Amino acid sequence: VEAKRFYKSPQWRRCREAFLAGKPLCVDCRKRGVIRPAEHVHHKLERRDRPDLAFDHDNLEGLCQPHHNARRAGGHQR
């Protein structure tokens, strides 16, 4: 419930939009030489563990849907 509120908050939506405007490609795809748009903004250090970094662009990375799903499942499909 708290996570849902966070990701729907105006502050997160602005942060996400600004991040993707500057870094619109999936970082994992780019490492493999593939150009694919990022659909998700992922926290490198989990937000629940480091809430102080929730809006820090240095703690964010753009991921496509498949790579985001792999990260959430605990896999590291890089």
Side-chain angles (χ1 to χ4, degrees):
V1 173
E2 187 278 326
K4 201 173 229 181
R5 252 182 301 180
F6 173 82
Y7 289 111
K8 289 186 180 268
S9 74
Q11 187 178 6
W12 171 250
R13 288 177 186 241
R14 283 190 303 271
C15 178
R16 180 186 183 283
E17 184 178 325
F19 181 83
L20 289 174
K23 297 182 179 178
L25 302 177
C26 174
V27 296
D28 287 355
C29 286
R30 286 188 69 201
K31 289 176 187 171
R32 295 176 25 222
V34 175
I35 303 299
R36 179 183 276 167
E39 300 168 71
H40 296 274
V41 177
H42 177 75
H43 290 92
K44 296 176 192 176
L45 299 175
E46 293 205 32
R47 189 181 56 85
R48 70 175 162 254
D49 297 332
R50 291 297 307 270
D52 57 313
L53 299 177
F55 301 102
D56 185 336
H57 282 212
D58 291 336
N59 187 45
L60 302 175
E61 58 189 355
L63 297 173
C64 65
Q65 185 71 46
H67 282 122
H68 184 256
N69 290 348
R71 298 280 185 95
R72 290 192 59 165
H76 292 283
Q77 181 186 357
R78 290 185 183 207

